[in-house]
Amino acid sequence: MTKVLIVDDEKIILEVLEAYFEKEGWEIILASNGIEALRKIKGNNPDIIILDLMLPDISGEEVCRLTRKESDVPIIMLTAKSAEDDLINGIVIGADDYVMKPFSPREVVIRSKAILRRVNKVDKGNKISFNNGKLKIDLVKKEIELSGKLISLTPIEYKLLVAMASYPGRVYSRLDLLEKIQEDGAYFEGYERSIDTHVKNLRKKIEADSRHPRYILTVFGMGYKFGGTLNESDTTF
């Protein structure tokens, strides 16, 4: 059963979202503040988190930031904020999507399903492919195939590609990507900007035109995201 953690300090929002997700047959976990949310994330291992930005103890951004240090669980933020800087900050620290208040509960359910479909397709097998099979990743052999030809990547380039391709559309800051390429949590001796060099080299190998990339996209002022389209049929080849 799919588990959703709903975090909001407004009782009516918790009750309404709980009712809508229960209709879908999901297991519901509720939290009314940030500390409780962090505890339930560790104790319940939810499949997705619906997270209010404004909480009474610690902010939703802080909950998201702390969660991202240990987990890639999808996070949808609920927010009454509309300032561009606030939205950008939430995406940079790891939120997968935003829903602005006031919102339709049905929209939250639909967005949750869409994100989980995307994630589950990537997790379904040991091989994933994008753009009608033009780009293929074998997660067991650690091989990359582009238009039928094997592409040689450095270990860092491979880790960057897999990290972003595992969550298409999610924006990763340079610091996020530095953490992804660490070996067993070891400190990576380099600056965040070194990611730009690795991305540049990766693009040269997998993009037809590195100046107009289709896979590794720059999100200005934020970082990078994977722009490939996951095959709809399956994730094997």
Side-chain angles (χ1 to χ4, degrees):
M1 181 183 293
T2 303
K3 290 191 291 186
V4 55
L5 170 62
I6 306 170
V7 187
D8 202 296
D9 62 332
E10 295 186 46
K11 184 178 179 181
I12 185 63
I13 290 180
L14 290 178
E15 291 176 345
V16 170
L17 287 177
E18 180 180 21
Y20 271 78
F21 278 104
E22 280 185 341
K23 288 181 181 179
E24 301 297 324
W26 291 30
E27 179 181 342
I28 318 298
I29 307 163
L30 302 177
S32 59
N33 59 64
I35 298 299
E36 183 182 12
L38 291 170
R39 185 174 69 250
K40 290 189 174 181
I41 290 169
K42 291 183 178 180
N44 295 273
N45 192 29
D47 297 296
I48 190 167
I49 300 170
I50 312 300
L51 177 63
D52 185 28
L53 197 62
M54 302 296 290
L55 296 172
D57 48 0
I58 61 175
S59 69
E61 287 126 324
E62 184 65 14
V63 173
C64 183
R65 185 181 294 108
L66 292 172
T67 299
R68 278 289 167 262
K69 290 182 178 181
E70 300 180 359
S71 172
D72 278 323
V73 58
I75 297 174
I76 297 178
M77 280 193 165
L78 304 178
T79 178
K81 292 184 177 181
S82 59
E84 182 179 2
D85 288 346
D86 292 324
L87 300 182
I88 288 175
N89 183 56
I91 294 297
V92 166
I93 63 176
D96 294 84
D97 201 357
Y98 261 97
V99 177
M100 301 294 294
K101 292 182 177 180
F103 58 83
S104 161
R106 184 169 178 270
E107 179 187 359
V108 176
V109 173
I110 290 172
R111 290 199 186 197
S112 298
K113 287 183 175 180
I115 289 174
L116 286 180
R117 278 198 302 270
R118 184 185 70 203
V119 173
N120 289 337
K121 281 178 183 177
V122 174
D123 289 344
K124 190 168 67 174
N126 295 320
K127 303 175 182 180
I128 51 178
S129 61
F130 301 88
N131 293 27
N132 295 318
K134 290 184 179 179
L135 176 65
K136 301 177 180 180
I137 304 175
D138 188 320
L139 300 173
V140 175
K141 295 181 180 179
K142 296 185 178 181
E143 291 181 344
I144 308 299
E145 186 178 311
L146 183 66
S147 298
K149 297 182 179 179
L150 290 178
I151 303 298
S152 177
L153 300 182
T154 67
I156 287 179
E157 291 164 358
Y158 174 81
K159 289 179 181 179
L160 288 176
L161 177 60
V162 169
M164 287 187 279
S166 294
Y167 291 87
R170 174 184 287 180
V171 178
Y172 288 91
S173 68
R174 291 174 177 83
L175 181 58
D176 290 333
L177 293 174
L178 273 176
E179 292 174 349
K180 293 293 183 183
I181 62 178
Q182 292 178 23
E183 290 286 352
D184 300 322
Y187 175 68
F188 179 79
E189 294 184 355
Y191 298 102
E192 291 179 37
R193 288 290 175 179
S194 67
I195 288 296
D196 295 341
T197 299
H198 295 303
V199 167
K200 180 179 179 181
N201 293 335
L202 177 58
R203 281 176 172 162
K204 288 180 180 179
K205 295 179 179 180
I206 68 171
E207 303 284 3
D209 182 353
S210 60
R211 293 173 298 179
H212 301 90
R214 299 177 61 186
Y215 298 111
I216 309 300
L217 308 181
T218 298
V219 183
F220 292 101
M222 299 167 69
Y224 299 99
K225 69 177 181 179
F226 187 78
T229 302
L230 191 65
N231 282 358
E232 290 295 327
S233 56
D234 56 45
T235 57
T236 63
F237 55 89

